[in-house]
Amino acid sequence: MVNGYAHWQTVPLRWKDNDVYGHVNNVVHYSLMDTVINTWLIEQGGLDIEAGAVIGLCVESHCTYHSSVSFPGSLRVGLRVAHLGKSSVRYEIGMYAADESLVAEGHFVHVFVDRESRRPTPVSGKLREALEALLPG
């Protein structure tokens, strides 16, 4: 685990990510968190976002900004699980520039629910295994 993150994904920045001040807009950081988390859940956890019985709903997110970046370029995004409960998970995310400087760090909380009833449902099977793989230690 580099910097305590169990998983890393490189995400390219796009022209439209820059705002009028010439740097990546703050809302893009939240989108990158969501993208990296859901890529992991779909590819490693088998989450079926279109027809699965269980879906993850974001109930909390936070981001602290340390430095700015701009297009062109990419960010290295680190992902780990800070807490895995019965039906919820709290992720921690770090975003780093090409020179390895910290750009932003944040957290994101999912509650997994039944698609139809929207009531919390236990995280189990392949999905739980994928989330456990992101736990430190």
Side-chain angles (χ1 to χ4, degrees):
M1 271 194 222
V2 177
N3 294 344
Y5 296 103
H7 171 70
W8 288 90
Q9 183 176 334
T10 300
V11 181
L13 297 173
R14 303 160 305 170
W15 171 253
K16 72 177 192 169
D17 294 337
N18 283 1
D19 61 19
V20 298
Y21 303 113
H23 60 77
V24 170
N25 190 276
N26 59 323
V27 298
V28 173
H29 297 82
Y30 284 97
S31 178
L32 294 176
M33 286 192 280
D34 200 20
T35 296
V36 170
I37 290 166
N38 281 291
T39 298
W40 178 265
L41 294 175
I42 293 164
E43 292 179 355
Q44 302 301 315
L47 185 67
D48 181 348
I49 59 172
E50 294 177 8
V54 174
I55 60 173
L57 299 179
C58 177
V59 298
E60 180 182 338
S61 62
H62 173 82
C63 191
T64 301
Y65 307 96
H66 297 279
S67 63
S68 65
V69 292
S70 60
F71 174 87
S74 61
L75 289 176
R76 292 277 296 149
V77 182
L79 176 65
R80 65 179 166 233
V81 166
H83 175 76
L84 179 57
K86 182 178 177 182
S87 61
S88 66
V89 61
R90 183 180 192 273
Y91 310 92
E92 293 179 340
I93 301 99
M95 298 175 214
Y96 294 82
D99 66 1
E100 299 184 13
S101 63
L102 180 62
V103 172
E105 57 190 341
H107 71 261
F108 192 101
V109 178
H110 263 150
V111 173
F112 289 92
V113 299
D114 176 85
R115 179 184 293 275
E116 298 303 318
S117 71
R118 294 297 203 257
R119 301 297 308 152
T121 188
V123 178
S124 60
K126 187 176 179 181
L127 183 57
R128 179 164 283 276
E129 290 173 14
L131 292 170
E132 288 173 343
L134 295 175
L135 286 165

